[in-house]
């Protein structure tokens, strides 16, 4: 079973912390298990995995680890070096690679950039995968494209002739390579664009982390030395190997993804380089779909589009803007990365490294959407944010990502809570607790599915209340509660009735082991969430003393009920067990002051 993405981050931290403890070639305190390449949205998620070098390893989808065919070469003085993908001519020369493997000389990962340096003969080639995180600009944030920037520098002081190549295959569209596809290539004085798609599309359907509709893009701005071509993978790659250029033609024989593997390529001749290339070679890679999300609440279905479509009439216009925005995007990415690095490094360098990877994961799992009004036009004032793709808007994932959004832009967090709140407001079978999610299969936000069988009722209600309280503390705006006062009071009353003694409830931790009985860590979350509601009422100028007094009483009782031989028990009455009780974090985060410092000291002893 595929685990939630945030569990993947946690697993990544655990695994990688123990595999590499010096910065070395990786520029990290550890070697990442997965290196983010094109990671911009729930379905635009491609990673480098495995121990093989980049030039002998196909990038993989972030969900099912299926291949997303992507080849990159540098040709130096007529000698080909592979820096991306495991390209080989198996059909004609079994076991023979296309090009020499580029030497990996360095890797740097920031919140929005992955920077490889490769040795390619007498040249060092720097390949930067730029995944812009623009939390204050919804247009740029919602653009489903990433940049690949390539520069070359002589490493021996001599002059070298250099050409750069990149291609994509139809594997970006589907894990089923037997599916038929179509494509086109258009060229103007403003843009050269490869577009490819499945021949038969299924709206709002996804299989193995590949959405089954929409369009794939590979694009460049036209300039001297740029050539392009679509066609069979071997033909394109060996053609570049031989001559260093492509022939500016388009294959029109539409076929299956795996039938002679149609690919969509660009090449750039940098000419002779003595020192370094002054202008980077920039490619754009993207996956787009419209509508993006199906959202159903109160029996009414909406087909919602990504926000950037309010600013651009076509994807061609959006991609042209994106490529022309490159310099500003790089400057913004550098500023964002620097700000996050400075803040995280105050704790430690290791923490900063982990923060970079977590930021990329979190930011790439949301989509900013708008509805279509009765006039048929997109309504830029009706914004909702959805998180996928292992389920839709799961409260445990929203809660886990909340500190990041509070730091970069709390408004995104508010817009992420709105779809869940509206669904519960309009539901005819609205339970007294917060439902876990809005569906099993992203991008269909039609309401909870399998989670209703074993709801994590106290967990999700606590997540909602704590996240809401953090949002209000960050913004000073409690409208989200005042506008949904009855709903929040219902949830607070559920916390009051269940927080201290949860009974047998499912928890985020208990998914693997079954529902625990009176889980002490779960009780902590419920108790802190109850106090958080009392504090929200105070912010609104209302009397929250009943909820506050109850939370304080529960906190005092919890300390004795959770007593164990060492630290605190995993379950009440099981003094031989122990729990890390990580939900105490929320007491510090919200400054609810429910637990004395002695409790935290006991946890650390």
């Amino acid at each position: 079973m595929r685990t939630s993405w945030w569990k993947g981050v946690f697993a990544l931290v655990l695994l990688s912390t123990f595999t590499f403890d010096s910065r070395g070639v990786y520029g990290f305190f550890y070697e990442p298990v997965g290196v983010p390449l094109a990671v911009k949205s729930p379905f635009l998620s491609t990673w480098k995995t495995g121990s093989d070098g980049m030039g002998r390893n196909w990038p993989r989808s972030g969900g099912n680890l299926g291949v997303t065919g992507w080849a990159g070469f540098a040709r130096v003085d007529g000698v080909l070096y592979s820096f991306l993908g495991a390209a080989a001519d198996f059909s004609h020369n079994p076991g023979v690679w296309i090009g020499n493997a580029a030497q990996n000389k360095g890797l740097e990962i920031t919140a929005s950039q992955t920077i490889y340096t490769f040795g390619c003969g007498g040249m060092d080639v720097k390949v930067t995968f730029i995944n812009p995180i623009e939390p204050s600009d919804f247009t740029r944030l919602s653009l489903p494209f990433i940049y690949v920037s390539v520069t070359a520098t002589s490493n021996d002081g001599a002059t070298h002739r250099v050409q750069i190549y990149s291609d994509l295959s139809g594997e970006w569209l589907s894990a089923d390579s037997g599916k038929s596809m179509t494509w086109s290539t258009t060229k103007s004085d403003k843009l050269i664009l490869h577009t490819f798609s499945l021949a038969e599309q299924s709206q709002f359907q996804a299989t193995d982390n590949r959405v089954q509709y929409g369009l794939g893009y590979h694009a460049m701005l036209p300039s001297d030395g740029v050539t392009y071509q679509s066609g069979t993978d071997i033909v394109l790659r060996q053609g570049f190997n031989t001559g260093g250029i492509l022939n500016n033609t388009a294959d029109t024989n539409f076929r299956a993804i795996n039938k002679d593997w149609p690919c969509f390529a660009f090449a750039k001749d940098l000419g002779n380089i003595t020192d370094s290339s002054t202008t980077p070679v920039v490619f754009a890679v993207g996956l787009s779909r419209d509508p993006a999300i199906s959202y159903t609440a109160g029996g009414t279905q909406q087909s919602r589009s990504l926000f950037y479509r309010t600013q651009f009439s076509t994807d061609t216009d959006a991609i042209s803007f994106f490529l022309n925005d490159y310099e500003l995007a790089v400057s913004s990415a550098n500023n964002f990365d620097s700000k996050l690095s400075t803040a995280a490094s105050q704790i430690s360098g290791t923490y900063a490294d982990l923060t970079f990877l977590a930021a990329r994961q979190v930011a790439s799992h949301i989509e900013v959407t708008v509805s279509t009004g009765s006039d048929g036009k997109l309504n830029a004032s009706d914004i909702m944010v959805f998180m996928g793709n292992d389920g839709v808007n799961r409260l445990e994932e929203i809660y886990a990502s909340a500190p990041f959004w509070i730091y970069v832009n709390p408004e995104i967090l508010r817009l992420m809570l709105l779809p869940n709140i509206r669904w519960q407001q309009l539901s005819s079978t609205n339970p007294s607790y917060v439902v876990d999610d809005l569906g099993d299969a992203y991008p269909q936000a039609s309401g909870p599915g399998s989670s209703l069988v074993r709801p994590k009722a106290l967990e999700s209600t606590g997540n909602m209340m704590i996240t809401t309280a953090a949002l209000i503390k960050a913004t000073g705006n409690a409208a989200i509660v005042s506008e949904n006062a009855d709903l929040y009071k219902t949830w607070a009353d559920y916390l009051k009735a269940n927080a201290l003694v949860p009974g047998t409830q499912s928890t985020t931790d208990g998914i693997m082991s079954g529902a625990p009985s009176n889980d002490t860590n779960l009780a902590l979350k419920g108790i802190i969430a109850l106090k958080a509601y009392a504090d929200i009422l105070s912010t609104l100028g209302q009397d929250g003393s009943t909820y506050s007094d109850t939370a304080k009483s529960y906190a005092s009782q919890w300390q004795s009920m959770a007593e164990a031989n060492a630290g605190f028990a995993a379950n009440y009455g099981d003094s031989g067990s122990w729990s890390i009780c990580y939900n105490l974090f929320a007491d510090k985060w919200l400054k609810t002051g429910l637990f004395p410092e002695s409790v935290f000291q006991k946890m650390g002893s």
Side-chain angles (χ1 to χ4, degrees):
M1 181 180 73
R2 191 170 76 238
T3 58
S4 298
W5 60 265
W6 66 268
K7 292 180 184 175
V9 173
F10 186 60
L12 180 67
V13 171
L14 290 179
L15 288 171
S16 50
T17 298
F18 292 105
T19 60
F20 207 81
D21 59 4
S22 63
R23 285 193 171 262
V25 70
Y26 290 98
F28 258 49
F29 284 110
Y30 55 87
E31 178 182 351
V33 175
V35 177
L37 302 178
V39 183
K40 187 62 165 61
S41 74
F43 297 116
L44 182 55
S45 179
T46 288
W47 299 68
K48 184 267 181 185
T49 62
S51 58
D52 292 333
M54 280 278 283
R56 291 291 183 262
N57 195 341
W58 286 120
R60 302 275 173 169
S61 165
N64 70 337
L65 296 183
V67 168
T68 44
W70 195 357
F73 299 106
R75 189 173 182 266
V76 179
D77 298 330
V79 179
L80 195 69
Y81 297 88
S82 172
F83 61 76
L84 177 61
D89 190 357
F90 289 117
S91 59
H92 300 96
N93 300 292
V96 177
W97 298 102
I98 298 177
N100 302 300
Q103 177 192 2
N104 183 10
K105 300 179 81 171
L107 167 62
E108 179 185 358
I109 299 176
T110 70
S112 61
Q113 302 174 71
T114 298
I115 306 165
Y116 275 98
T117 301
F118 299 102
C120 301
M123 299 298 295
D124 285 346
V125 175
K126 185 168 77 170
V127 182
T128 305
F129 301 86
I130 306 169
N131 301 254
I133 300 174
E134 297 277 4
S136 61
D137 186 329
F138 287 175
T139 298
R140 287 180 170 89
L141 181 64
S142 62
L143 285 167
F145 316 120
I146 66 103
Y147 301 100
V148 182
S149 164
V150 184
T151 58
T153 303
S154 176
N155 60 32
D156 59 7
T159 298
H160 300 280
R161 182 71 180 271
V162 180
Q163 295 99 14
I164 302 298
Y165 171 99
S166 172
D167 77 40
L168 304 180
S169 81
E171 291 161 293
W172 288 71
L173 302 174
S174 177
D176 180 358
S177 61
K179 288 196 170 186
S180 295
M181 61 183 295
T182 63
W183 56 85
S184 65
T185 301
T186 57
K187 182 181 185 298
S188 70
D189 59 352
K190 296 181 179 179
L191 183 69
I192 309 174
L193 178 64
H194 292 299
T195 304
F196 51 103
S197 61
L198 293 176
E200 295 184 4
Q201 308 221 343
S202 300
Q203 195 174 79
F204 303 129
Q205 299 297 315
T207 304
D208 291 330
N209 200 46
R210 314 292 177 85
V211 69
Q212 299 300 294
Y213 70 108
L215 302 168
Y217 294 112
H218 196 196
M220 287 189 77
L221 295 177
S223 66
D224 292 342
V226 170
T227 54
Y228 62 90
Q229 190 176 347
S230 62
T232 300
D233 57 348
I234 300 300
V235 172
L236 301 182
R237 295 164 189 169
Q238 291 290 31
F240 178 77
N241 186 13
T242 301
I245 62 172
L246 299 169
N247 63 16
N248 295 336
T249 59
D251 184 338
T252 58
N253 178 27
F254 302 147
R255 54 193 182 271
I257 294 169
N258 62 7
K259 178 65 174 176
D260 294 327
W261 299 102
C263 289
F264 313 97
F266 287 104
K268 169 73 174 181
D269 189 344
L270 294 175
N272 293 319
I273 299 176
T274 300
D275 184 11
S276 62
S277 54
T278 57
T279 303
V281 181
V282 180
F283 308 96
V285 174
L287 291 175
S288 171
R289 66 192 195 279
D290 190 52
I293 299 285
S294 174
Y295 174 59
T296 303
T300 300
Q301 187 271 343
Q302 295 180 347
S303 293
R304 300 182 66 90
S305 298
L306 296 181
F307 184 89
Y308 79 91
R309 294 185 181 278
T310 65
Q311 306 300 311
F312 303 102
S313 58
T314 68
D315 274 353
T316 299
D317 292 340
I319 295 169
S320 180
F321 164 82
F322 182 74
L323 282 168
N324 282 288
D325 194 48
Y326 170 76
E327 290 187 3
L328 183 60
V330 171
S331 176
S332 179
N334 289 337
N335 289 337
F336 180 87
D337 294 345
S338 177
K339 178 182 176 182
L340 189 63
S341 176
T342 299
S345 295
Q346 292 179 13
I347 298 175
S348 74
T350 303
Y351 182 77
D353 290 345
L354 300 178
T355 300
F356 291 154
L357 288 171
R360 191 84 64 91
Q361 285 267 38
V362 169
S364 68
H365 277 75
I366 68 160
E367 293 188 303
V368 183
T369 72
V370 296
S371 63
T372 299
S374 57
D375 59 359
K377 298 179 180 180
L378 296 178
N379 182 3
S381 66
D382 179 20
I383 305 173
M384 287 185 173
V385 175
F386 292 86
M387 175 178 280
N389 55 6
D390 187 17
V392 186
N393 276 34
R394 289 192 167 174
L395 259 300
E396 62 193 43
E397 297 177 358
I398 293 175
Y399 172 71
S401 69
F404 175 78
W405 297 119
I406 290 291
Y407 178 73
V408 301
N409 185 1
E411 176 64 5
I412 293 175
L413 184 60
R414 185 186 74 85
L415 295 171
M416 206 180 305
L417 295 176
L418 286 185
N420 298 61
I421 292 171
R422 183 178 297 178
W423 186 91
Q424 296 223 204
Q425 282 282 29
L426 299 178
S427 173
S428 59
T429 59
N430 186 21
S432 59
Y433 53 83
V434 176
V435 298
D436 298 340
D437 53 54
L438 292 180
D440 295 333
Y442 199 84
Q444 296 185 54
S446 53
S450 62
S451 61
L452 289 177
V453 178
R454 288 181 57 197
K456 296 188 285 287
L458 184 57
E459 185 94 62
S460 292
T461 306
N463 289 338
M464 175 65 84
M465 198 67 76
I466 292 170
T467 300
T468 301
L471 174 65
I472 293 171
K473 285 180 70 70
T475 63
N477 186 346
I480 194 170
V481 174
S482 61
E483 292 169 0
N484 301 280
D486 291 345
L487 196 59
Y488 272 90
K489 183 180 185 305
T490 297
W491 295 337
D493 289 340
Y494 180 86
L495 291 170
K496 188 176 180 181
N498 294 276
L500 181 60
V501 184
T504 302
Q505 285 216 24
S506 294
T507 71
T508 299
D509 295 336
I511 289 176
M512 297 299 179
S513 60
S517 178
N518 288 325
D519 182 281
T520 56
N521 193 41
L522 177 61
L524 272 177
K525 179 174 285 185
I527 294 167
I528 296 168
L530 186 61
K531 180 60 163 62
Y533 178 70
D535 292 346
I536 291 171
L537 292 180
S538 296
T539 300
L540 289 169
Q542 300 175 22
D543 181 12
S545 59
T546 298
Y547 296 100
S548 178
D549 292 345
T550 301
K552 291 175 182 178
S553 174
Y554 285 176
S556 177
Q557 294 177 66
W558 180 92
Q559 293 176 59
S560 59
M561 295 169 69
E563 190 71 30
N565 297 334
F568 294 101
N571 309 96
Y572 293 152
D574 187 1
S575 60
S577 65
W578 63 274
S579 171
I580 62 173
C581 293
Y582 58 80
N583 282 325
L584 279 167
F585 158 76
D587 184 60
K588 290 289 189 181
W589 188 29
L590 300 182
K591 297 181 172 59
T592 51
L594 287 174
F595 296 92
E597 197 60 31
S598 59
V599 169
F600 295 91
Q601 292 172 353
K602 188 172 183 178
M603 285 300 307
S605 62

